[in-house]
Amino acid sequence: MSSDAHTPHPSHEHIHGEGCGHVAVPHGDHVDYVHDGHLHRVHDDHIDECEPAGHTEHPGAHEHVHGQGCGHVAVPHGDHVDYIHDGHRHAEHSGHYDEH
């Protein structure tokens, strides 16, 4: 997500950071925080929504099946659940996993 293309999250009083109580997810050059069923990122003096653009299939075989009790952090995301795995989010999609 470039600095000129972002969606600010309105009225966000909480300050995200180490120890803030929300799950931290490394995402490229920044860290996202799971909050209220979506992802936030600190951007300058405000918080942005940080959502993936497009559809990117996880490369190669993904032998692990994500689901309740699989051992990975579950992140509600719209009409499905993403799972934090190897420092990024996976979402099941039509017989494969997408990168989020």
Side-chain angles (χ1 to χ4, degrees), residues 50-95:
C50 194
E51 294 299 329
H55 174 103
T56 304
E57 189 172 335
H58 178 76
H62 188 76
E63 302 300 324
H64 178 75
V65 176
H66 292 294
Q68 187 174 6
C70 75
H72 294 104
V73 173
V75 180
H77 184 209
D79 64 352
H80 65 276
V81 176
D82 293 342
Y83 292 89
I84 307 302
H85 187 170
D86 294 335
H88 50 126
R89 295 186 296 162
H90 288 174
E92 186 174 9
H93 179 250
S94 298

Side-chain angles (χ1 to χ4, degrees), residues 8-90:
H9 181 82
S11 304
H12 192 77
E13 302 298 324
H14 177 75
I15 298 173
H16 290 296
E18 188 174 334
C20 75
H22 295 104
V23 174
V25 182
H27 187 201
D29 64 350
H30 64 276
V31 175
D32 294 334
Y33 293 90
V34 180
H35 189 180
D36 295 335
H38 51 179
L39 295 174
H40 292 169
R41 71 171 281 194
V42 176
H43 181 232
D44 295 333
D45 63 349
H46 61 276
I47 300 295
D48 285 346
E49 301 289 346
C50 194
E51 294 299 329
H55 174 103
T56 304
E57 189 172 335
H58 178 76
H62 188 76
E63 302 300 324
H64 178 75
V65 176
H66 292 294
Q68 187 174 6
C70 75
H72 294 104
V73 173
V75 180
H77 184 209
D79 64 352
H80 65 276
V81 176
D82 293 342
Y83 292 89
I84 307 302
H85 187 170
D86 294 335
H88 50 126
R89 295 186 296 162
H90 288 174

